[in-house]
Amino acid sequence: MSEQRMQQQIEAACAHIAQHAESVRHSRYRQRYHFMPQCGWLNDPNGLIYFKGKYHFFYQYNPYSGFWDRMFWGHAVSEDLLHWDYLPVALAPSEEYDDHPKGGCFSGSAIVIGDKLWVMYTGTCNNGNGFEQSQCVAWSEDGVQFHKYEGNPVLTAPEGVRPDCFRDPKVWEHDGLYYMVCGASRDGKAQALVYRSADFLHWEFFNVLAESRGEWGYMWECPDFFPLGDKYVLMFSPMGGGERTSVYLVGDFDYETGKFQWSTSGENDWGFDYYAPQSFLAPDGRRIMVAWANSWDWMPTWKDWGPTYREGWNGFFDLPREVRLLPDNSLQFLPVKELRALRRDPQFKDVLELQPDQEQSVTAGDGVAFELRFTLDLEHTDAEQVELSLRCGEGRRTVCTLDLKHSMMYVDRNNSDGWSRGVSKSPLFVRDKTLLDVHVFSDQSSLEIFTSDCTTNHSLNVFASDAQNGILLCARGGGARLLSLEGYGLERTFC
């Protein structure tokens, strides 16, 4: 009966999607090349994996509304990370451990065992003792239709851990054993707990992988843990970590003790709209990371989730990024190479001289969906600041300021669209540098700006009109020289 109930929930959700997808498809703020749902609400990426010749994206999903609510797992596949085919909903609330109007099938991950695809997810329910979260297992032979394990849940919150703060399992295999890390909160401090199993069904506590003493908040959501080069990386989104939306720690992991000793910390993205990143391995060995392009209402920079709920949908993913380890053990996050296939109508300029306080217009595509790249020649720049204004028009603009005098970067969206607010900020690494690279991806409702060899990145949602299609550059407090200016239009992959 339980499998029948899940199938009924899936069929009802799919019927609703089929009824509403066409009207949502023509909405004003729909992205052109960023991954998004057919209708309804999307948040965290789940179960990202390459399986049987295709990339699989699962995602936290409420198909019935443009707001968060009872959680399902949406599902789509692609052969190139660019063009996606939507599949039926993969998981639906159906059991005592995951069926509640404000609960459901929360975030998790996937692994291939033999010829089957297995997922572990957090079931969230409320059966009279407040919200309780547990780890649950499901499997699929074809990667489309899933079956929940009859012995679920396979893990409940250990003693001392809040039952409503035990979630988001990330699984992997090493030397014939399966490992899982999940986020937890104990005594008001965040933890990442690591478990291990011989069969993926019966799990034992191994160790506290890493924990906060307060500096990284009281709960780590969506932890991810993976090897990179000769190091290991722990990523998480900290609750109570101030403006931080996504943090990484780099260090060494001991499989004998289950302890992670980190020595380097950093931020995946400094913008307002980059949360819960999850990584996976591509067939060629690249470590690729995808995140939800939004944030939560408890964050200090949050305003709201934007106006797209009026159109019957909300949420999309930031661009997939390749994660690389640098010699100093910091991380680099590069837009995946597949995106180059979307380029159209190239515009090139070898040198562009900016005179003080004189705005210059540049061209990239239609000024709405485009890619723009240039290098700032610091040896021939005496400006204190260089301003890049994006989505300009109708008296509005989003301004990215490269503050060379103070080694800071700011992205101001207070005058972007009459809706958004806030100024994201980060250090700008220009000391002892002769060049500074800038790489921008703009879509209908978002901006992603990469600098300093993709080590400092800002992702922000901007709900601008099509008439806001100007791109302006200006030097302040001196002149500036730009090299190798490239502009491209980008092909629409979502209709």
Side-chain angles (χ1 to χ4, degrees):
M1 288 297 292
S2 59
E3 186 148 328
Q4 181 181 2
R5 174 166 168 72
M6 184 170 82
Q7 190 58 38
Q8 290 171 344
Q9 296 289 342
I10 289 174
E11 290 174 0
C14 290
H16 180 89
I17 295 166
Q19 183 180 355
H20 292 85
E22 182 63 21
S23 61
V24 170
R25 187 167 69 90
H26 300 287
S27 300
R28 174 184 182 185
Y29 294 115
R30 293 286 281 177
Q31 296 279 62
R32 301 189 193 180
Y33 60 91
H34 282 73
F35 182 85
M36 57 191 168
Q38 291 167 280
C39 64
W41 163 279
L42 167 151
N43 58 286
D44 304 349
N46 298 159
L48 308 184
I49 199 164
Y50 188 81
F51 178 65
K52 292 189 175 180
K54 292 185 178 182
Y55 295 99
H56 289 251
F57 276 9
F58 301 90
Y59 46 94
Q60 288 289 275
Y61 189 36
N62 171 24
Y64 295 106
S65 166
F67 288 101
W68 179 89
D69 204 72
R70 187 164 172 255
M71 284 290 101
F72 295 67
W73 272 34
H75 188 193
V77 294
S78 172
E79 295 181 353
D80 61 3
L81 287 173
L82 303 174
H83 303 85
W84 292 89
D85 294 319
Y86 295 105
L87 296 181
V89 169
L91 295 176
S94 62
E95 313 301 320
E96 184 177 285
Y97 53 80
D98 68 7
D99 194 0
H100 188 270
K102 296 297 181 183
C105 303
F106 277 18
S107 295
S109 55
I111 188 171
V112 178
I113 303 176
D115 60 353
K116 296 178 181 178
L117 183 61
W118 291 75
V119 301
M120 182 178 284
Y121 70 97
T122 296
T124 298
C125 64
N126 189 331
N127 294 311
N129 297 311
F131 281 101
E132 297 176 293
Q133 296 175 344
S134 60
Q135 312 320 319
C136 307
V137 167
W139 58 273
S140 172
E141 293 184 346
D142 59 5
V144 179
Q145 184 175 6
F146 283 82
H147 311 274
K148 294 178 182 177
Y149 172 51
E150 292 183 357
N152 281 338
V154 297
L155 275 174
T156 56
E159 185 177 353
V161 169
R162 287 174 47 178
D164 61 340
C165 287
F166 179 62
R167 58 180 174 269
D168 309 334
K170 178 62 187 287
V171 296
W172 75 97
E173 182 272 339
H174 178 79
D175 284 350
L177 290 177
Y178 301 103
Y179 293 82
M180 181 271 286
V181 61
C182 68
S185 181
R186 189 193 301 267
D187 299 327
K189 303 292 194 305
Q191 293 184 324
L193 306 180
V194 63
Y195 292 78
R196 60 185 175 182
S197 170
D199 63 1
F200 203 72
L201 299 175
H202 302 88
W203 294 84
E204 63 176 6
F205 175 71
F206 192 16
N207 208 341
V208 176
L209 183 75
E211 57 191 329
S212 170
R213 295 177 299 173
E215 74 277 32
W216 300 115
Y218 64 87
M219 174 67 189
W220 289 346
E221 292 205 296
C222 299
D224 193 0
F225 192 64
F226 54 88
L228 195 64
D230 61 351
K231 297 294 180 180
Y232 269 80
V233 177
L234 175 64
M235 298 191 310
F236 52 85
S237 288
M239 300 180 73
E243 294 185 3
R244 298 181 181 94
T245 62
S246 180
V247 169
Y248 69 80
L249 308 176
V250 179
D252 298 301
F253 180 59
D254 185 350
Y255 274 100
E256 294 297 321
T257 66
K259 199 67 176 179
F260 174 61
Q261 304 290 348
W262 61 273
S263 57
T264 302
S265 65
E267 303 202 26
N268 298 23
D269 197 287
W270 297 78
F272 298 134
D273 299 304
Y274 197 87
Y275 199 84
Q278 185 172 116
S279 74
F280 67 99
L281 278 178
D284 59 6
R286 287 175 298 160
R287 174 65 58 172
I288 295 177
M289 179 180 73
V290 178
W292 173 43
N294 223 311
S295 58
W296 291 111
D297 50 0
W298 45 261
M299 301 181 71
T301 55
W302 187 82
K303 175 182 179 288
D304 52 42
W305 290 292
T308 66
Y309 73 91
R310 296 171 174 170
E311 302 175 345
W313 72 285
N314 201 320
F316 49 90
F317 288 162
D318 291 289
L319 292 176
R321 304 176 186 183
E322 180 185 352
V323 186
R324 292 183 182 175
L325 181 69
L326 295 175
D328 65 354
N329 287 337
S330 64
L331 299 185
Q332 185 182 35
F333 306 98
L334 300 92
V336 293
K337 61 185 180 182
E338 285 84 350
L339 291 163
R340 300 170 194 163
L342 300 181
R343 291 174 174 173
R344 300 292 183 269
D345 305 320
Q347 301 282 330
F348 300 105
K349 194 173 185 64
D350 291 334
V351 179
L352 179 62
E353 300 283 356
L354 299 180
Q355 302 303 315
D357 301 318
Q358 295 183 17
E359 288 189 332
Q360 285 209 40
S361 176
V362 298
T363 301
D366 64 357
V368 175
F370 65 85
E371 179 183 359
L372 177 68
R373 303 187 67 171
F374 63 84
T375 300
L376 186 59
D377 183 351
L378 297 175
E379 289 188 313
H380 296 88
T381 293
D382 59 6
E384 295 182 352
Q385 298 178 341
V386 174
E387 293 179 355
L388 171 62
S389 295
L390 304 163
R391 302 300 301 274
C392 304
E394 300 182 324
R396 301 194 182 279
R397 63 176 65 188
T398 301
V399 182
C400 172
T401 300
L402 307 173
D403 188 337
L404 306 176
K405 182 177 180 179
H406 300 101
S407 297
M408 290 292 293
M409 175 176 170
Y410 304 93
V411 184
D412 185 342
R413 64 177 186 180
N414 283 310
N415 191 35
S416 292
D417 51 24
W419 186 281
S420 306
R421 286 203 303 263
V423 180
S424 63
K425 58 183 181 296
S426 70
L428 188 65
F429 302 110
V430 293
R431 182 181 176 183
D432 300 326
K433 303 286 187 182
T434 59
L435 301 171
L436 176 66
D437 58 291
V438 178
H439 194 174
V440 179
F441 283 88
S442 173
D443 204 345
Q444 189 72 51
S445 298
S446 65
L447 292 168
E448 293 172 68
I449 306 171
F450 301 81
T451 65
S452 300
D453 293 322
C454 297
T455 61
T456 303
N457 312 316
H458 290 237
S459 298
L460 300 97
N461 298 343
V462 170
F463 304 101
S465 70
D466 286 347
Q468 293 177 234
N469 60 357
I471 306 170
L472 299 171
L473 284 157
C474 187
R476 305 290 186 189
R481 176 179 290 179
L482 275 58
L483 307 175
S484 304
L485 190 76
E486 305 174 35
Y488 304 92
L490 294 175
E491 174 191 316
R492 183 188 294 269
T493 61
F494 287 85
C495 298

